[in-house]
Amino acid sequence: MSIKRIEPGKRMSGAVVHGNTVYLAGQVGEGTSVTEQSKSALAEVDRLLALAGSDKSKVLQTIIYLSDMSTFGEMNAVWESWIDPANPPARATSEAALATPDYKVEFIVTAAI
């Protein structure tokens, strides 16, 4: 089975397609609030999924890291407006220190093609 790397860089690829599955690198967004960063990151998820030939209706699993669990409701409001309500993926959310103190949320997505 072939492997396709989308937007490969020095350290990682934006996404990797293997068979009928696409694995996205962790996506963080721009802005100062969890709402802004969530919207920005999920827009990038949409873009990468489209490049791989997929979309949010085919998301299998999402792992979400928040720098502070007190923002869980804020992130969920964006998430619930973004997901395909007919096809919600498996999901886990936890608190973690992210790559820089400016990052408040990170989404790791796996989807079918």
Side-chain angles (χ1 to χ4, degrees):
M1 215 176 274
S2 67
I3 297 173
K4 176 183 174 187
R5 299 183 193 283
I6 298 171
E7 298 182 353
K10 181 178 178 179
R11 267 180 243 140
M12 63 184 173
S13 296
V16 176
V17 177
H18 180 253
N20 293 323
T21 307
V22 57
Y23 304 88
L24 273 57
Q27 298 302 308
V28 294
E30 297 179 357
T32 57
S33 70
V34 169
T35 295
E36 292 169 336
Q37 288 188 17
S38 295
K39 287 179 180 179
S40 175
L42 291 171
E44 185 65 6
V45 167
D46 282 331
R47 188 185 76 78
L48 288 168
L49 288 175
L51 288 174
S54 187
D55 62 63
K56 64 186 166 189
S57 73
K58 297 176 185 163
V59 173
L60 303 170
Q61 179 183 43
T62 302
I63 299 169
I64 304 169
Y65 294 115
L66 292 167
S67 63
D68 184 341
M69 282 302 283
S70 71
T71 62
F72 184 75
E74 187 179 347
M75 178 278 300
N76 260 339
V78 176
W79 172 261
E80 289 169 2
S81 69
W82 177 80
I83 63 167
D84 177 348
N87 298 292
R91 188 187 103 171
T93 305
S94 64
E95 183 175 293
L98 301 179
T100 75
D102 294 334
Y103 293 148
K104 299 181 184 312
V105 62
E106 181 174 10
F107 297 86
I108 302 171
V109 173
T110 304
I113 301 223

